[in-house]
Amino acid sequence: MQRVWKVSEYFMCRASRTWRAAFRDVFCCHPGIDSLVVPRNEYAPYAEKTDKDAYYEERAPLTPSHSRSSEVSSSGNRGSNRREEIRADSPISKGPSINEIGSLLSHSSDQDEDEYCVLLGSEDRSPVTKQPVGNKEYGACDAPATPPARVPTPRLSCDKAKVYLSLSAPAGLNELPSRSPSPVIGRDIESCEITPLKIESVDNASPDDAISRVEPEGSSDISEEDVMKLVGLMERCVEPVKPIYIQTVDHFLNILDACNTPLEVLESITYYIGVLSPSIAVACVHHIYAKTSMLYERNSEEYNQMCGEINKNKEFRRLMSILEQNAESLPNFALLTSASDLLLLRLTLRKKTIPILLAAVDVEKLDLEELGVLASCLHTPNIPLVNSEYFYNVSASVAMRELKNIDDLYKLMNIMKCFGRYFTIESKRECEGKVKSLCHELCEQGPDGRSKAAHMFDAFYRMEYAPNRAILKSASEVICQSAIPIQPQDISAVFRYCVKYGYGSQDKELLDCLSGELQKSIDVSKASQLTTNVKWLTVFYYYDKDFMQKFVECVRRDMQELDFVALSDVLDALAQVYFVPENSDDFFDRLYAEMINKLPTLMTSHVHNANRKLLLTAFHFAVYGRYPEQLIQLALSENQLSMHMGNGGTRHFLVDLCRSLSVERPDLLPKCLPMNIFHNSRRPKLYAFEKDVQGVLLSICSGDFFHLMLSTVCFFPFFLLQMRLDGTLLPVSQPGFIPPHRHQMVQNVAVVPLPRSRFCFGSKHAIGKTRLVLRLLRAQGARVVTVPHYDWDNNSNAHKGELLRRKIFKQKIDDTVE
């Protein structure tokens, strides 16, 4: 490029005025001929400054942007940073400004030394063009051979049917043809062979006019014929520059359809000079989401990074502003499509765009397709929307009317999740029948990449309806046997349903599968991402020693990052199955210290009842025989006691905590504790296993020698016997334990039946409540005799009787459990 400038500089000095005018006609543009203009006097410094040129005299006055002294570069080349003003009567005065046009073009200042090219415009230089009307002998400057990367290139024919907006990917997104030259940018500059020139410096040149001499090899003079050859050479290297902007909507939509990346879509918006209407903004948002989902897998790290970059883009923010200001004028389908796309693009819910769009939806006029899109939007939790019952009731009415027309399982489950709790019982049963008829789709993967079987658990949970066990069993088999990857949301969805509506022995395979997935993620996930799911898993009394130890190590690693609720969930998970980690004293001390430090986070957490969480935390410490004084005082304060005494579920934990304190740490009991908290008016209730143990016990001794009682905590039924030291049974006149001062003569024997529910799922490992009951019975002065189900079931009555005789009369120590 510098060689071209030096050639021109030499010619302008050596050639006559006539040839200078001809040369200027090639490299400079007259006003009114083209919309691209160049700095004034680009070559004027090398001409005689005293001469007057009619060409420049007839042009409009100039507005310099820099002083002339700053226009001389260090290499001796001169370039003007000033731009010409366009005359009012110029044809381009109504077009885009020079700054707007300059921003649409880019050029490279470093060209290969063996090529000749023409400098395109930028903020400092404008493209040089000249193409007089009616004369095709002169060429014009065009874009460089490699188009700017930021200019999108349409790849579709103009007669292609234009899809303005659809829920699926826009036309041409799935199968894009190979990249072709863009008619917007112009054709590539044709390569041409150029005779090598020899560059020599000009002797005796003044500092202001220092130039480099460019002459053909073997020649010392430049003739007019040489000048004309060079003019013809430059005509072959350039082509007319075409405007780079988009005027029509059809052209704009074609370009959007041809873009490959969301950033190209956003860049295309900057070239659209028409009115960006709300409907076009909807189409742009949909194209942005479609291109993003084509490039990256949903929920992947790359996808999330791209969404973050999109949300920061100023053109994307302009689209959001247009949608917010014109939401009332958009139809339901456009509103719902935009809201769904923005949710999938990870637009933060703190912005008002999505709530504004959804609030403008006319729910009374929804059709089935729009209802499905609305359900997919409301499926995302925590949208600060319309918390009005009217919105959901009307939508539920539309959904119940359209249930018979739904033939897509994924759409049905989304509607069940959002509006199912407002359905009538008949509609809920109709949904169950629909799911049963579409069970063949459970093995498929949903559009969001999750298993449809897991979605089914979530749908029935949110609809507050428990279907037939056969449907749940088929969904469990799909989750366990399908190759669809299980995501954390799937694990949570299954756990939530099972916690609310129960589980059975047939779910063991499902729990094994979900536990395996959790174990795989322990090494790569933070402890904060695991605490809730591990707590739900242990609620089912599922026990895996290796898994729990890995979980404890993960908690040790990330304990400082966990808040009070997460730390309480960790303790809850361990206490449910009574897992004692390695170096347990150090672990529990550190866990308690972090809880006290993070106590203020409890009041700002997501839990609905912070006081109940505090009480449960104190109870779970008591399961391990630990009674931290500060936590006990907070959990059993006067306000806490008055609040929880009338609450059924919470009151049980309050009573159990106070009773365990009365046995092991009575000094920590509050003084304001009501005395009726220790009064138990509940009658023991026996199930099949306890009745079987009672029957065998009656065959050994009379009913006068034992008494049926309930444990101090958790209300476990057990049989209390009183025995002399020589093994003789005493009749029980009054129910209750023999006081400690009589233990040298008489001892208490507690026969505790332990059915399957007292052990972890499918194991001989006793749960935390079982161990708490057995420990408190020993603390009350009883010798504990356990009757576990694995030693009792499937045995004859003779074997059972012999088992009880040996344990009661011959065994001198307490029974222990794993």
Side-chain angles (χ1 to χ4, degrees):
M1 179 56 70
Q2 292 181 357
R3 182 178 297 179
V4 174
W5 290 119
K6 292 179 180 179
V7 170
S8 63
E9 292 166 3
Y10 179 78
F11 288 158
M12 293 298 292
C13 290
R14 297 293 300 270
S16 64
R17 178 167 181 169
T18 302
W19 296 113
R20 276 187 289 146
F23 193 86
R24 183 181 60 232
D25 288 342
V26 177
F27 287 91
C28 301
C29 59
H30 290 281
I33 300 301
D34 199 290
S35 61
L36 302 176
V37 296
V38 293
R40 178 199 179 213
N41 294 346
E42 186 72 31
Y43 305 99
Y46 309 112
E48 297 178 11
K49 298 182 180 180
T50 57
D51 295 339
K52 292 185 179 180
D53 196 328
Y55 174 73
Y56 284 111
E57 289 176 353
E58 67 181 6
R59 304 189 71 165
L62 303 177
T63 304
S65 58
H66 300 280
S67 62
R68 186 173 298 273
S69 61
S70 63
E71 296 174 359
V72 180
S73 64
S74 60
S75 61
N77 296 336
R78 293 175 180 263
S80 174
N81 290 329
R82 298 186 300 173
R83 298 190 177 278
E84 287 184 300
E85 292 186 351
I86 302 176
R87 296 183 302 174
D89 58 348
S90 173
I92 63 172
S93 61
K94 299 180 181 180
S97 65
I98 187 64
N99 290 332
E100 295 174 343
I101 298 175
S103 65
L104 302 180
L105 298 174
S106 62
H107 71 276
S108 173
S109 60
D110 297 326
Q111 301 290 341
D112 190 276
E113 292 185 0
D114 295 330
E115 292 182 345
Y116 288 93
C117 53
V118 181
L119 186 65
L120 287 179
S122 66
E123 288 297 330
D124 296 328
R125 296 176 186 262
S126 297
V128 184
T129 60
K130 175 65 182 178
Q131 189 175 3
V133 178
N135 189 349
K136 298 185 179 180
E137 295 181 359
Y138 293 106
C141 295
D142 201 354
T146 303
R150 66 188 183 97
V151 181
T153 58
R155 301 165 180 80
L156 302 179
S157 59
C158 295
D159 58 350
K160 186 178 184 298
K162 304 175 183 65
V163 178
Y164 197 74
L165 179 65
S166 66
L167 279 178
S168 60
L173 286 177
N174 295 326
E175 296 181 4
L176 291 176
S178 59
R179 182 177 295 273
S180 59
S182 170
V184 179
I185 301 176
R187 296 185 300 275
D188 296 343
I189 298 177
E190 298 180 358
S191 59
C192 56
E193 297 181 0
I194 302 176
T195 304
L197 300 179
K198 182 178 180 181
I199 302 177
E200 296 181 0
S201 61
V202 180
D203 297 331
N204 301 325
S206 63
D208 292 336
D209 295 327
I211 58 174
S212 297
R213 184 190 302 266
V214 182
E215 299 180 354
E217 187 174 356
S219 175
S220 58
D221 296 324
I222 298 294
S223 63
E224 295 181 359
E225 182 180 0
D226 295 330
V227 173
M228 295 306 299
K229 287 182 180 180
L230 182 59
V231 170
L233 177 64
M234 299 309 299
E235 287 180 352
R236 295 169 55 194
C237 295
V238 296
E239 290 187 3
V241 173
K242 299 180 181 180
I244 306 180
Y245 52 81
I246 307 166
Q247 292 180 329
T248 65
V249 174
D250 292 342
H251 190 194
F252 182 51
L253 294 177
N254 268 346
I255 289 180
L256 293 183
D257 190 56
C259 293
N260 273 340
T261 67
L263 298 182
E264 287 184 6
V265 175
L266 292 169
E267 194 69 23
S268 301
I269 300 174
T270 62
Y271 300 110
Y272 180 58
I273 63 175
V275 177
L276 198 59
S277 64
S279 55
I280 296 179
V282 173
C284 292
V285 171
H286 191 63
H287 274 278
I288 291 170
Y289 162 67
K291 312 300 183 184
T292 307
S293 61
M294 288 173 57
L295 287 177
Y296 308 108
E297 183 180 357
R298 281 270 308 278
N299 300 321
S300 64
E301 184 177 353
E302 295 81 3
Y303 181 89
N304 294 334
Q305 289 179 352
M306 178 57 69
C307 289
E309 187 173 353
I310 291 171
N311 289 327
K312 295 177 182 178
N313 189 282
K314 65 178 182 180
E315 294 298 332
F316 188 76
R317 294 198 298 268
R318 184 159 72 103
L319 294 176
M320 299 304 96
S321 177
I322 294 173
L323 294 178
E324 291 174 10
Q325 296 173 6
N326 299 275
E328 297 294 337
S329 64
L330 289 172
N332 281 348
F333 189 76
L335 291 169
L336 295 170
T337 302
S338 299
S340 177
D341 293 341
L342 293 176
L343 284 170
L344 295 172
L345 287 172
R346 302 289 192 271
L347 181 67
T348 175
L349 296 178
R350 295 180 180 178
K351 292 186 177 296
K352 58 184 179 180
T353 308
I354 295 174
I356 287 177
L357 295 176
L358 293 180
V361 174
D362 188 355
V363 292
E364 295 182 356
K365 298 181 180 179
L366 290 172
D367 57 24
L368 179 58
E369 187 175 7
E370 294 168 353
L371 185 68
V373 183
L374 176 61
S376 66
C377 293
L378 298 180
H379 182 205
T380 302
N382 303 325
I383 295 182
L385 175 76
V386 249
N387 289 324
S388 68
E389 292 295 315
Y390 170 79
F391 182 90
Y392 286 97
N393 278 311
V394 174
S395 302
S397 300
V398 176
M400 287 187 289
R401 186 177 66 244
E402 297 288 346
L403 278 178
K404 59 182 179 296
N405 300 324
I406 300 177
D407 55 359
D408 181 7
L409 180 61
Y410 185 75
K411 182 184 294 184
L412 173 64
M413 291 188 298
N414 274 340
I415 292 175
M416 290 167 59
K417 291 177 186 180
C418 297
F419 313 114
R421 61 193 178 99
Y422 297 94
F423 287 180
T424 61
I425 296 298
E426 292 75 13
S427 297
K428 292 182 179 181
R429 290 173 181 167
E430 185 178 357
C431 290
E432 179 184 359
K434 277 281 187 180
V435 172
K436 186 176 181 180
S437 65
L438 298 172
C439 268
H440 60 279
E441 296 185 21
L442 288 176
C443 58
E444 299 176 358
Q445 191 172 14
D448 56 355
R450 294 175 56 189
S451 170
K452 289 185 178 180
H455 276 298
M456 193 206 71
F457 279 98
D458 198 20
F460 281 115
Y461 168 78
R462 298 190 185 213
M463 196 171 66
E464 300 178 356
Y465 181 79
N468 188 281
R469 295 290 302 179
I471 299 178
L472 299 177
K473 184 178 180 181
S474 61
S476 300
E477 292 175 352
V478 169
I479 294 176
C480 297
Q481 301 172 8
S482 175
I484 300 174
I486 300 176
Q487 301 183 16
Q489 301 97 311
D490 300 333
I491 299 175
S492 301
V494 177
F495 284 163
R496 282 195 302 265
Y497 176 86
C498 293
V499 166
K500 186 171 184 178
Y501 295 105
Y503 61 97
S505 58
Q506 66 271 20
D507 298 323
K508 178 67 166 56
E509 183 182 1
L510 177 61
L511 294 180
D512 287 338
C513 178
L514 300 181
S515 172
E517 292 298 324
L518 283 176
Q519 192 165 356
K520 291 178 184 177
S521 62
I522 283 182
D523 296 333
V524 297
S525 301
K526 295 287 186 180
S528 57
Q529 300 170 338
L530 301 170
T531 54
T532 301
N533 281 336
V534 175
K535 182 189 71 172
W536 289 129
L537 179 64
T538 56
V539 162
F540 308 132
Y541 301 135
Y542 182 88
Y543 180 74
D544 185 335
K545 184 177 180 180
D546 295 335
F547 169 72
M548 296 304 297
Q549 185 59 44
K550 286 185 178 180
F551 174 64
V552 168
E553 295 301 325
C554 182
V555 172
R556 287 182 189 270
R557 182 192 65 200
D558 303 330
M559 190 177 293
Q560 293 183 348
E561 302 176 7
L562 303 179
D563 60 3
F564 185 91
V565 175
L567 293 170
S568 179
D569 288 344
V570 171
L571 181 62
D572 190 348
L574 301 180
Q576 291 287 346
V577 296
Y578 199 82
F579 177 76
V580 181
E582 299 176 0
N583 300 323
S584 59
D585 291 338
D586 175 70
F587 176 77
F588 286 121
D589 290 343
R590 184 182 172 194
L591 187 69
Y592 174 67
E594 287 291 336
M595 283 184 179
I596 297 301
N597 292 335
K598 306 291 180 57
L599 191 59
T601 63
L602 175 61
M603 300 305 171
T604 59
S605 64
H606 63 278
V607 295
H608 299 293
N609 193 335
N611 295 321
R612 183 176 187 271
K613 194 70 173 178
L614 197 64
L615 180 63
L616 290 177
T617 304
F619 173 75
H620 290 138
F621 269 116
V623 170
Y624 287 97
R626 295 174 174 270
Y627 300 94
E629 184 174 355
Q630 185 176 355
L631 186 62
I632 295 296
Q633 292 175 353
L634 292 173
L636 298 180
S637 63
E638 186 174 357
N639 293 335
Q640 287 276 74
L641 292 174
S642 61
M643 182 183 304
H644 298 311
M645 283 303 296
N647 191 343
T650 307
R651 186 178 185 276
H652 293 323
F653 288 101
L654 177 63
V655 171
D656 287 343
L657 178 60
C658 292
R659 290 187 175 186
S660 60
L661 281 171
S662 66
V663 175
E664 297 185 311
R665 290 294 303 273
D667 58 303
L668 296 180
L669 283 174
K671 297 180 180 179
C672 58
L673 191 66
M675 294 306 298
N676 62 354
I677 199 172
F678 300 106
H679 177 68
N680 185 14
S681 59
R682 179 182 299 186
R683 298 183 61 182
K685 184 177 182 179
L686 300 182
Y687 293 94
F689 187 82
E690 289 89 351
K691 289 180 179 180
D692 192 15
V693 174
Q694 185 182 32
V696 175
L697 188 58
L698 285 172
S699 66
I700 297 175
C701 61
S702 172
D704 297 333
F705 293 98
F706 66 88
H707 186 77
L708 178 61
M709 297 182 61
L710 289 176
S711 63
T712 305
V713 298
C714 303
F715 304 109
F716 284 11
F718 69 97
F719 304 98
L720 180 63
L721 295 83
Q722 296 177 357
M723 179 185 298
R724 290 191 180 96
L725 297 181
D726 58 0
T728 305
L729 290 178
L730 297 175
V732 179
S733 57
Q734 293 182 354
F737 291 91
I738 296 175
H741 68 274
R742 295 184 59 191
H743 286 178
Q744 294 180 352
M745 298 178 293
V746 182
Q747 64 176 342
N748 300 303
V749 179
V751 180
V752 186
L754 297 179
R756 294 181 185 273
S757 59
R758 311 303 186 204
F759 295 89
C760 290
F761 209 3
S763 71
K764 298 181 180 180
H765 185 84
I767 64 176
K769 291 181 180 180
T770 302
R771 297 174 185 273
L772 177 60
V773 168
L774 298 180
R775 191 180 74 243
L776 292 180
L777 287 175
R778 297 188 190 100
Q780 289 173 286
R783 177 167 65 89
V784 177
V785 174
T786 61
V787 185
H789 70 92
Y790 48 82
D791 290 339
W792 188 267
D793 293 339
N794 302 323
N795 289 315
S796 63
N797 288 336
H799 181 274
K800 295 175 182 177
E802 182 61 30
L803 178 66
L804 281 182
R805 287 189 184 93
R806 178 174 55 82
K807 283 180 174 287
I808 294 174
F809 298 104
K810 297 180 181 180
Q811 184 172 294
K812 302 301 181 181
I813 60 175
D814 291 336
D815 282 340
T816 58
V817 292
E818 293 184 9

